[in-house]
Amino acid sequence: MKIDSFVTSGKFRLDGNEWDVDNNVYILGGKGGCYIVDPAHNAERIYDEVGDRPVRGILLTHAHNDHCELAPEIAEHYGVEVYLHPDDQPLWEESNGDAHYTPLADNQTFTIDGEDVVVFHTPGHSPGCVVLYIKNENALLSGDTLFNGGPGATGRKYSDFDQIVESLRNVIFHLPPATKVLPGHGDQTTVGAEAERIDEYVERGY
Ligand SMILES: [Fe+2]
């Protein structure tokens, strides 16, 4: 499966504050049809990157505004659905009001270019966080659940550090250690490199 990624820049807003942020946007699939994962900040850039590929849907790893706020506009542009885990409903409403989305479920599978993309529910950074596992590509789109250097942030509302550690230990760290981790922000890492450091992350508390 073709996996493209690029970076867009904008604002992350929560709890009445805002921060500058760079997001990794992913496009899964080629000329046979693609899904856009977390289309952040810049719709024109995303349309350019998609090019002439038919778009099948928008997959969201969670509903923080930087990941989700353009999704309704882009879904309408292509005439496709937005997919989001319903446990992020309160965050979704903050960005997108009563805009429609289709609920994702744990273990749901999408087929792209004949390969499976499996959704795992990994709460902690937010209640409805998911990751997308592409076994054939040895790759995990980890959203904000796992970064190069540790778990996603859990200091703000709707986050829970113990829960994110549980999601890492019970779900993500069961994947093969060589699995490439493609996160929502920053550099790639691997499941194995991060699993080795989990005790250190728990000790420091973030
Ligand atoms: Fe986030």
Side-chain angles (χ1 to χ4, degrees), residues 157-190:
K157 70 176 174 183
Y158 304 126
S159 286
D160 187 314
F161 182 70
D162 292 341
Q163 197 177 34
I164 203 170
V165 169
E166 209 169 291
S167 290
L168 294 174
R169 285 191 161 134
N170 295 344
V171 181
I172 294 178
F173 294 163
H174 287 280
L175 299 173
T179 305
K180 281 175 291 195
V181 172
L182 310 177
H185 308 274
D187 296 335
Q188 293 185 24
T189 181
T190 63

PDB file of all heavy atoms in Angstrom, residues 157-190:
ATOM      1  N   LYS A 157      -7.663  18.092  29.605  1.00  0.00           N
ATOM      2  CA  LYS A 157      -8.933  17.424  29.899  1.00  0.00           C
ATOM      3  C   LYS A 157      -9.186  16.244  28.964  1.00  0.00           C
ATOM      4  O   LYS A 157      -8.724  16.231  27.828  1.00  0.00           O
ATOM      5  CB  LYS A 157     -10.096  18.411  29.833  1.00  0.00           C
ATOM      6  CG  LYS A 157     -10.439  18.907  28.453  1.00  0.00           C
ATOM      7  CD  LYS A 157     -11.684  19.803  28.534  1.00  0.00           C
ATOM      8  CE  LYS A 157     -11.945  20.437  27.177  1.00  0.00           C
ATOM      9  NZ  LYS A 157     -13.083  21.364  27.225  1.00  0.00           N
ATOM     10  N   TYR A 158      -9.937  15.296  29.469  1.00  0.00           N
ATOM     11  CA  TYR A 158     -10.293  14.044  28.782  1.00  0.00           C
ATOM     12  C   TYR A 158      -9.096  13.115  28.568  1.00  0.00           C
ATOM     13  O   TYR A 158      -9.177  12.166  27.792  1.00  0.00           O
ATOM     14  CB  TYR A 158     -10.959  14.300  27.420  1.00  0.00           C
ATOM     15  CG  TYR A 158     -12.184  15.183  27.455  1.00  0.00           C
ATOM     16  CD1 TYR A 158     -12.269  16.315  26.644  1.00  0.00           C
ATOM     17  CD2 TYR A 158     -13.260  14.888  28.286  1.00  0.00           C
ATOM     18  CE1 TYR A 158     -13.397  17.122  26.652  1.00  0.00           C
ATOM     19  CE2 TYR A 158     -14.385  15.697  28.307  1.00  0.00           C
ATOM     20  CZ  TYR A 158     -14.439  16.812  27.491  1.00  0.00           C
ATOM     21  OH  TYR A 158     -15.556  17.619  27.506  1.00  0.00           O
ATOM     22  N   SER A 159      -7.945  13.398  29.207  1.00  0.00           N
ATOM     23  CA  SER A 159      -6.758  12.546  29.065  1.00  0.00           C
ATOM     24  C   SER A 159      -6.518  11.772  30.346  1.00  0.00           C
ATOM     25  O   SER A 159      -6.909  12.210  31.431  1.00  0.00           O
ATOM     26  CB  SER A 159      -5.520  13.410  28.787  1.00  0.00           C
ATOM     27  OG  SER A 159      -5.514  13.899  27.477  1.00  0.00           O
ATOM     28  N   ASP A 160      -5.799  10.638  30.232  1.00  0.00           N
ATOM     29  CA  ASP A 160      -5.528   9.813  31.406  1.00  0.00           C
ATOM     30  C   ASP A 160      -4.227   9.042  31.189  1.00  0.00           C
ATOM     31  O   ASP A 160      -4.145   8.198  30.297  1.00  0.00           O
ATOM     32  CB  ASP A 160      -6.716   8.855  31.608  1.00  0.00           C
ATOM     33  CG  ASP A 160      -6.599   8.062  32.900  1.00  0.00           C
ATOM     34  OD1 ASP A 160      -5.504   7.525  33.181  1.00  0.00           O
ATOM     35  OD2 ASP A 160      -7.612   7.970  33.618  1.00  0.00           O
ATOM     36  N   PHE A 161      -3.219   9.353  32.003  1.00  0.00           N
ATOM     37  CA  PHE A 161      -1.899   8.740  31.814  1.00  0.00           C
ATOM     38  C   PHE A 161      -1.925   7.231  32.050  1.00  0.00           C
ATOM     39  O   PHE A 161      -1.369   6.462  31.264  1.00  0.00           O
ATOM     40  CB  PHE A 161      -0.859   9.399  32.729  1.00  0.00           C
ATOM     41  CG  PHE A 161       0.531   8.841  32.542  1.00  0.00           C
ATOM     42  CD1 PHE A 161       1.247   9.089  31.384  1.00  0.00           C
ATOM     43  CD2 PHE A 161       1.118   8.049  33.522  1.00  0.00           C
ATOM     44  CE1 PHE A 161       2.529   8.568  31.187  1.00  0.00           C
ATOM     45  CE2 PHE A 161       2.397   7.522  33.343  1.00  0.00           C
ATOM     46  CZ  PHE A 161       3.091   7.787  32.176  1.00  0.00           C
ATOM     47  N   ASP A 162      -2.576   6.794  33.142  1.00  0.00           N
ATOM     48  CA  ASP A 162      -2.616   5.347  33.415  1.00  0.00           C
ATOM     49  C   ASP A 162      -3.274   4.590  32.265  1.00  0.00           C
ATOM     50  O   ASP A 162      -2.862   3.487  31.910  1.00  0.00           O
ATOM     51  CB  ASP A 162      -3.394   5.055  34.713  1.00  0.00           C
ATOM     52  CG  ASP A 162      -2.649   5.561  35.936  1.00  0.00           C
ATOM     53  OD1 ASP A 162      -1.423   5.797  35.835  1.00  0.00           O
ATOM     54  OD2 ASP A 162      -3.291   5.741  36.985  1.00  0.00           O
ATOM     55  N   GLN A 163      -4.299   5.218  31.694  1.00  0.00           N
ATOM     56  CA  GLN A 163      -5.021   4.569  30.593  1.00  0.00           C
ATOM     57  C   GLN A 163      -4.166   4.491  29.321  1.00  0.00           C
ATOM     58  O   GLN A 163      -4.184   3.480  28.620  1.00  0.00           O
ATOM     59  CB  GLN A 163      -6.300   5.368  30.316  1.00  0.00           C
ATOM     60  CG  GLN A 163      -7.328   4.613  29.512  1.00  0.00           C
ATOM     61  CD  GLN A 163      -8.595   5.424  29.340  1.00  0.00           C
ATOM     62  OE1 GLN A 163      -8.556   6.648  29.227  1.00  0.00           O
ATOM     63  NE2 GLN A 163      -9.726   4.749  29.322  1.00  0.00           N
ATOM     64  N   ILE A 164      -3.386   5.525  29.049  1.00  0.00           N
ATOM     65  CA  ILE A 164      -2.551   5.470  27.839  1.00  0.00           C
ATOM     66  C   ILE A 164      -1.465   4.408  28.019  1.00  0.00           C
ATOM     67  O   ILE A 164      -1.138   3.672  27.085  1.00  0.00           O
ATOM     68  CB  ILE A 164      -1.974   6.858  27.458  1.00  0.00           C
ATOM     69  CG1 ILE A 164      -1.613   6.883  25.958  1.00  0.00           C
ATOM     70  CG2 ILE A 164      -0.740   7.242  28.254  1.00  0.00           C
ATOM     71  CD1 ILE A 164      -1.269   8.264  25.420  1.00  0.00           C
ATOM     72  N   VAL A 165      -0.934   4.280  29.221  1.00  0.00           N
ATOM     73  CA  VAL A 165       0.080   3.247  29.476  1.00  0.00           C
ATOM     74  C   VAL A 165      -0.534   1.858  29.289  1.00  0.00           C
ATOM     75  O   VAL A 165       0.081   0.961  28.702  1.00  0.00           O
ATOM     76  CB  VAL A 165       0.703   3.419  30.877  1.00  0.00           C
ATOM     77  CG1 VAL A 165       1.549   2.212  31.252  1.00  0.00           C
ATOM     78  CG2 VAL A 165       1.536   4.699  30.933  1.00  0.00           C
ATOM     79  N   GLU A 166      -1.775   1.709  29.752  1.00  0.00           N
ATOM     80  CA  GLU A 166      -2.484   0.441  29.554  1.00  0.00           C
ATOM     81  C   GLU A 166      -2.685   0.149  28.060  1.00  0.00           C
ATOM     82  O   GLU A 166      -2.493  -0.985  27.605  1.00  0.00           O
ATOM     83  CB  GLU A 166      -3.845   0.544  30.249  1.00  0.00           C
ATOM     84  CG  GLU A 166      -4.411  -0.750  30.741  1.00  0.00           C
ATOM     85  CD  GLU A 166      -5.613  -0.469  31.641  1.00  0.00           C
ATOM     86  OE1 GLU A 166      -5.412   0.075  32.751  1.00  0.00           O
ATOM     87  OE2 GLU A 166      -6.734  -0.759  31.204  1.00  0.00           O
ATOM     88  N   SER A 167      -3.066   1.164  27.295  1.00  0.00           N
ATOM     89  CA  SER A 167      -3.248   0.984  25.844  1.00  0.00           C
ATOM     90  C   SER A 167      -1.932   0.584  25.176  1.00  0.00           C
ATOM     91  O   SER A 167      -1.917  -0.263  24.278  1.00  0.00           O
ATOM     92  CB  SER A 167      -3.767   2.271  25.207  1.00  0.00           C
ATOM     93  OG  SER A 167      -5.103   2.526  25.588  1.00  0.00           O
ATOM     94  N   LEU A 168      -0.834   1.198  25.619  1.00  0.00           N
ATOM     95  CA  LEU A 168       0.467   0.841  25.042  1.00  0.00           C
ATOM     96  C   LEU A 168       0.812  -0.595  25.393  1.00  0.00           C
ATOM     97  O   LEU A 168       1.163  -1.397  24.521  1.00  0.00           O
ATOM     98  CB  LEU A 168       1.554   1.790  25.557  1.00  0.00           C
ATOM     99  CG  LEU A 168       1.423   3.246  25.100  1.00  0.00           C
ATOM    100  CD1 LEU A 168       2.462   4.127  25.789  1.00  0.00           C
ATOM    101  CD2 LEU A 168       1.561   3.367  23.591  1.00  0.00           C
ATOM    102  N   ARG A 169       0.705  -0.921  26.670  1.00  0.00           N
ATOM    103  CA  ARG A 169       1.124  -2.264  27.113  1.00  0.00           C
ATOM    104  C   ARG A 169       0.229  -3.366  26.585  1.00  0.00           C
ATOM    105  O   ARG A 169       0.699  -4.434  26.216  1.00  0.00           O
ATOM    106  CB  ARG A 169       1.145  -2.317  28.650  1.00  0.00           C
ATOM    107  CG  ARG A 169       2.339  -1.594  29.239  1.00  0.00           C
ATOM    108  CD  ARG A 169       2.473  -1.896  30.732  1.00  0.00           C
ATOM    109  NE  ARG A 169       3.816  -1.585  31.203  1.00  0.00           N
ATOM    110  CZ  ARG A 169       4.089  -0.913  32.309  1.00  0.00           C
ATOM    111  NH1 ARG A 169       3.099  -0.461  33.070  1.00  0.00           N
ATOM    112  NH2 ARG A 169       5.332  -0.693  32.669  1.00  0.00           N
ATOM    113  N   ASN A 170      -1.082  -3.101  26.546  1.00  0.00           N
ATOM    114  CA  ASN A 170      -2.038  -4.171  26.205  1.00  0.00           C
ATOM    115  C   ASN A 170      -2.318  -4.289  24.720  1.00  0.00           C
ATOM    116  O   ASN A 170      -2.826  -5.310  24.272  1.00  0.00           O
ATOM    117  CB  ASN A 170      -3.374  -3.953  26.930  1.00  0.00           C
ATOM    118  CG  ASN A 170      -3.231  -4.071  28.433  1.00  0.00           C
ATOM    119  OD1 ASN A 170      -2.224  -4.591  28.921  1.00  0.00           O
ATOM    120  ND2 ASN A 170      -4.205  -3.568  29.151  1.00  0.00           N
ATOM    121  N   VAL A 171      -2.035  -3.245  23.973  1.00  0.00           N
ATOM    122  CA  VAL A 171      -2.365  -3.265  22.543  1.00  0.00           C
ATOM    123  C   VAL A 171      -1.107  -3.062  21.696  1.00  0.00           C
ATOM    124  O   VAL A 171      -0.642  -3.972  21.016  1.00  0.00           O
ATOM    125  CB  VAL A 171      -3.426  -2.190  22.194  1.00  0.00           C
ATOM    126  CG1 VAL A 171      -3.771  -2.255  20.711  1.00  0.00           C
ATOM    127  CG2 VAL A 171      -4.682  -2.360  23.051  1.00  0.00           C
ATOM    128  N   ILE A 172      -0.534  -1.896  21.771  1.00  0.00           N
ATOM    129  CA  ILE A 172       0.522  -1.530  20.806  1.00  0.00           C
ATOM    130  C   ILE A 172       1.791  -2.353  21.002  1.00  0.00           C
ATOM    131  O   ILE A 172       2.416  -2.794  20.031  1.00  0.00           O
ATOM    132  CB  ILE A 172       0.805  -0.020  20.879  1.00  0.00           C
ATOM    133  CG1 ILE A 172      -0.446   0.736  20.386  1.00  0.00           C
ATOM    134  CG2 ILE A 172       2.032   0.355  20.042  1.00  0.00           C
ATOM    135  CD1 ILE A 172      -0.361   2.232  20.434  1.00  0.00           C
ATOM    136  N   PHE A 173       2.154  -2.614  22.257  1.00  0.00           N
ATOM    137  CA  PHE A 173       3.416  -3.325  22.489  1.00  0.00           C
ATOM    138  C   PHE A 173       3.289  -4.832  22.245  1.00  0.00           C
ATOM    139  O   PHE A 173       4.277  -5.554  22.364  1.00  0.00           O
ATOM    140  CB  PHE A 173       3.989  -3.009  23.869  1.00  0.00           C
ATOM    141  CG  PHE A 173       4.420  -1.568  24.025  1.00  0.00           C
ATOM    142  CD1 PHE A 173       4.619  -1.019  25.287  1.00  0.00           C
ATOM    143  CD2 PHE A 173       4.629  -0.754  22.918  1.00  0.00           C
ATOM    144  CE1 PHE A 173       5.021   0.305  25.433  1.00  0.00           C
ATOM    145  CE2 PHE A 173       5.023   0.575  23.051  1.00  0.00           C
ATOM    146  CZ  PHE A 173       5.212   1.106  24.325  1.00  0.00           C
ATOM    147  N   HIS A 174       2.090  -5.288  21.863  1.00  0.00           N
ATOM    148  CA  HIS A 174       1.944  -6.671  21.400  1.00  0.00           C
ATOM    149  C   HIS A 174       2.223  -6.809  19.906  1.00  0.00           C
ATOM    150  O   HIS A 174       2.311  -7.928  19.403  1.00  0.00           O
ATOM    151  CB  HIS A 174       0.533  -7.192  21.702  1.00  0.00           C
ATOM    152  CG  HIS A 174       0.312  -7.471  23.154  1.00  0.00           C
ATOM    153  ND1 HIS A 174       0.768  -8.627  23.760  1.00  0.00           N
ATOM    154  CD2 HIS A 174      -0.274  -6.740  24.124  1.00  0.00           C
ATOM    155  CE1 HIS A 174       0.446  -8.588  25.041  1.00  0.00           C
ATOM    156  NE2 HIS A 174      -0.177  -7.451  25.290  1.00  0.00           N
ATOM    157  N   LEU A 175       2.355  -5.701  19.213  1.00  0.00           N
ATOM    158  CA  LEU A 175       2.679  -5.761  17.779  1.00  0.00           C
ATOM    159  C   LEU A 175       4.160  -6.096  17.628  1.00  0.00           C
ATOM    160  O   LEU A 175       4.945  -5.911  18.564  1.00  0.00           O
ATOM    161  CB  LEU A 175       2.362  -4.413  17.117  1.00  0.00           C
ATOM    162  CG  LEU A 175       0.892  -3.989  17.203  1.00  0.00           C
ATOM    163  CD1 LEU A 175       0.717  -2.573  16.661  1.00  0.00           C
ATOM    164  CD2 LEU A 175      -0.007  -4.966  16.471  1.00  0.00           C
ATOM    165  N   PRO A 176       4.574  -6.589  16.450  1.00  0.00           N
ATOM    166  CA  PRO A 176       5.984  -6.945  16.271  1.00  0.00           C
ATOM    167  C   PRO A 176       6.903  -5.743  16.553  1.00  0.00           C
ATOM    168  O   PRO A 176       6.591  -4.623  16.140  1.00  0.00           O
ATOM    169  CB  PRO A 176       6.059  -7.348  14.795  1.00  0.00           C
ATOM    170  CG  PRO A 176       4.663  -7.753  14.441  1.00  0.00           C
ATOM    171  CD  PRO A 176       3.760  -6.903  15.274  1.00  0.00           C
ATOM    172  N   PRO A 177       8.023  -5.967  17.250  1.00  0.00           N
ATOM    173  CA  PRO A 177       8.908  -4.867  17.638  1.00  0.00           C
ATOM    174  C   PRO A 177       9.417  -4.038  16.455  1.00  0.00           C
ATOM    175  O   PRO A 177       9.671  -2.845  16.600  1.00  0.00           O
ATOM    176  CB  PRO A 177      10.084  -5.571  18.326  1.00  0.00           C
ATOM    177  CG  PRO A 177       9.537  -6.879  18.774  1.00  0.00           C
ATOM    178  CD  PRO A 177       8.461  -7.255  17.807  1.00  0.00           C
ATOM    179  N   ALA A 178       9.543  -4.653  15.297  1.00  0.00           N
ATOM    180  CA  ALA A 178      10.069  -3.916  14.138  1.00  0.00           C
ATOM    181  C   ALA A 178       9.011  -3.037  13.462  1.00  0.00           C
ATOM    182  O   ALA A 178       9.321  -2.319  12.509  1.00  0.00           O
ATOM    183  CB  ALA A 178      10.646  -4.887  13.117  1.00  0.00           C
ATOM    184  N   THR A 179       7.781  -3.076  13.969  1.00  0.00           N
ATOM    185  CA  THR A 179       6.716  -2.263  13.360  1.00  0.00           C
ATOM    186  C   THR A 179       7.091  -0.785  13.382  1.00  0.00           C
ATOM    187  O   THR A 179       7.412  -0.236  14.432  1.00  0.00           O
ATOM    188  CB  THR A 179       5.394  -2.468  14.135  1.00  0.00           C
ATOM    189  OG1 THR A 179       5.083  -3.863  14.175  1.00  0.00           O
ATOM    190  CG2 THR A 179       4.250  -1.707  13.486  1.00  0.00           C
ATOM    191  N   LYS A 180       7.033  -0.160  12.207  1.00  0.00           N
ATOM    192  CA  LYS A 180       7.289   1.282  12.115  1.00  0.00           C
ATOM    193  C   LYS A 180       6.124   2.036  12.734  1.00  0.00           C
ATOM    194  O   LYS A 180       4.969   1.759  12.429  1.00  0.00           O
ATOM    195  CB  LYS A 180       7.379   1.725  10.649  1.00  0.00           C
ATOM    196  CG  LYS A 180       8.680   1.428   9.964  1.00  0.00           C
ATOM    197  CD  LYS A 180       8.586   1.795   8.484  1.00  0.00           C
ATOM    198  CE  LYS A 180       7.648   0.832   7.781  1.00  0.00           C
ATOM    199  NZ  LYS A 180       7.700   0.822   6.314  1.00  0.00           N
ATOM    200  N   VAL A 181       6.436   2.989  13.585  1.00  0.00           N
ATOM    201  CA  VAL A 181       5.414   3.830  14.203  1.00  0.00           C
ATOM    202  C   VAL A 181       5.422   5.181  13.482  1.00  0.00           C
ATOM    203  O   VAL A 181       6.431   5.884  13.490  1.00  0.00           O
ATOM    204  CB  VAL A 181       5.697   4.007  15.711  1.00  0.00           C
ATOM    205  CG1 VAL A 181       4.744   5.032  16.316  1.00  0.00           C
ATOM    206  CG2 VAL A 181       5.570   2.670  16.437  1.00  0.00           C
ATOM    207  N   LEU A 182       4.294   5.506  12.854  1.00  0.00           N
ATOM    208  CA  LEU A 182       4.146   6.759  12.112  1.00  0.00           C
ATOM    209  C   LEU A 182       3.172   7.639  12.899  1.00  0.00           C
ATOM    210  O   LEU A 182       1.963   7.437  12.854  1.00  0.00           O
ATOM    211  CB  LEU A 182       3.592   6.466  10.709  1.00  0.00           C
ATOM    212  CG  LEU A 182       4.313   5.376   9.911  1.00  0.00           C
ATOM    213  CD1 LEU A 182       3.610   5.126   8.569  1.00  0.00           C
ATOM    214  CD2 LEU A 182       5.762   5.768   9.664  1.00  0.00           C
ATOM    215  N   PRO A 183       3.705   8.589  13.654  1.00  0.00           N
ATOM    216  CA  PRO A 183       2.871   9.319  14.607  1.00  0.00           C
ATOM    217  C   PRO A 183       2.182  10.555  14.009  1.00  0.00           C
ATOM    218  O   PRO A 183       2.472  10.958  12.880  1.00  0.00           O
ATOM    219  CB  PRO A 183       3.885   9.754  15.672  1.00  0.00           C
ATOM    220  CG  PRO A 183       5.156   9.931  14.913  1.00  0.00           C
ATOM    221  CD  PRO A 183       5.117   8.957  13.759  1.00  0.00           C
ATOM    222  N   GLY A 184       1.296  11.149  14.795  1.00  0.00           N
ATOM    223  CA  GLY A 184       0.576  12.350  14.380  1.00  0.00           C
ATOM    224  C   GLY A 184       1.426  13.601  14.383  1.00  0.00           C
ATOM    225  O   GLY A 184       1.067  14.602  13.749  1.00  0.00           O
ATOM    226  N   HIS A 185       2.511  13.568  15.130  1.00  0.00           N
ATOM    227  CA  HIS A 185       3.446  14.701  15.175  1.00  0.00           C
ATOM    228  C   HIS A 185       4.859  14.140  15.283  1.00  0.00           C
ATOM    229  O   HIS A 185       5.074  13.125  15.963  1.00  0.00           O
ATOM    230  CB  HIS A 185       3.212  15.595  16.406  1.00  0.00           C
ATOM    231  CG  HIS A 185       1.795  16.041  16.579  1.00  0.00           C
ATOM    232  ND1 HIS A 185       1.276  17.157  15.969  1.00  0.00           N
ATOM    233  CD2 HIS A 185       0.782  15.514  17.304  1.00  0.00           C
ATOM    234  CE1 HIS A 185       0.007  17.303  16.306  1.00  0.00           C
ATOM    235  NE2 HIS A 185      -0.322  16.312  17.129  1.00  0.00           N
ATOM    236  N   GLY A 186       5.821  14.784  14.656  1.00  0.00           N
ATOM    237  CA  GLY A 186       7.231  14.453  14.865  1.00  0.00           C
ATOM    238  C   GLY A 186       7.697  13.239  14.087  1.00  0.00           C
ATOM    239  O   GLY A 186       7.051  12.785  13.134  1.00  0.00           O
ATOM    240  N   ASP A 187       8.849  12.711  14.527  1.00  0.00           N
ATOM    241  CA  ASP A 187       9.565  11.685  13.773  1.00  0.00           C
ATOM    242  C   ASP A 187       9.013  10.283  14.005  1.00  0.00           C
ATOM    243  O   ASP A 187       8.412  10.002  15.034  1.00  0.00           O
ATOM    244  CB  ASP A 187      11.047  11.686  14.191  1.00  0.00           C
ATOM    245  CG  ASP A 187      11.734  12.983  13.823  1.00  0.00           C
ATOM    246  OD1 ASP A 187      11.266  13.649  12.874  1.00  0.00           O
ATOM    247  OD2 ASP A 187      12.726  13.336  14.495  1.00  0.00           O
ATOM    248  N   GLN A 188       9.340   9.407  13.058  1.00  0.00           N
ATOM    249  CA  GLN A 188       8.996   7.981  13.186  1.00  0.00           C
ATOM    250  C   GLN A 188       9.801   7.332  14.311  1.00  0.00           C
ATOM    251  O   GLN A 188      10.834   7.825  14.707  1.00  0.00           O
ATOM    252  CB  GLN A 188       9.374   7.232  11.911  1.00  0.00           C
ATOM    253  CG  GLN A 188       8.573   7.602  10.697  1.00  0.00           C
ATOM    254  CD  GLN A 188       8.934   6.710   9.509  1.00  0.00           C
ATOM    255  OE1 GLN A 188       9.425   5.592   9.687  1.00  0.00           O
ATOM    256  NE2 GLN A 188       8.669   7.192   8.321  1.00  0.00           N
ATOM    257  N   THR A 189       9.291   6.190  14.757  1.00  0.00           N
ATOM    258  CA  THR A 189      10.049   5.351  15.674  1.00  0.00           C
ATOM    259  C   THR A 189       9.624   3.910  15.377  1.00  0.00           C
ATOM    260  O   THR A 189       9.106   3.642  14.298  1.00  0.00           O
ATOM    261  CB  THR A 189       9.812   5.779  17.142  1.00  0.00           C
ATOM    262  OG1 THR A 189      10.583   4.949  18.012  1.00  0.00           O
ATOM    263  CG2 THR A 189       8.351   5.731  17.530  1.00  0.00           C
ATOM    264  N   THR A 190       9.907   2.997  16.297  1.00  0.00           N
ATOM    265  CA  THR A 190       9.418   1.623  16.139  1.00  0.00           C
ATOM    266  C   THR A 190       8.732   1.194  17.441  1.00  0.00           C
ATOM    267  O   THR A 190       9.007   1.753  18.516  1.00  0.00           O
ATOM    268  CB  THR A 190      10.544   0.617  15.851  1.00  0.00           C
ATOM    269  OG1 THR A 190      11.434   0.587  16.968  1.00  0.00           O
ATOM    270  CG2 THR A 190      11.307   0.981  14.576  1.00  0.00           C
TER     271      THR A 190
END
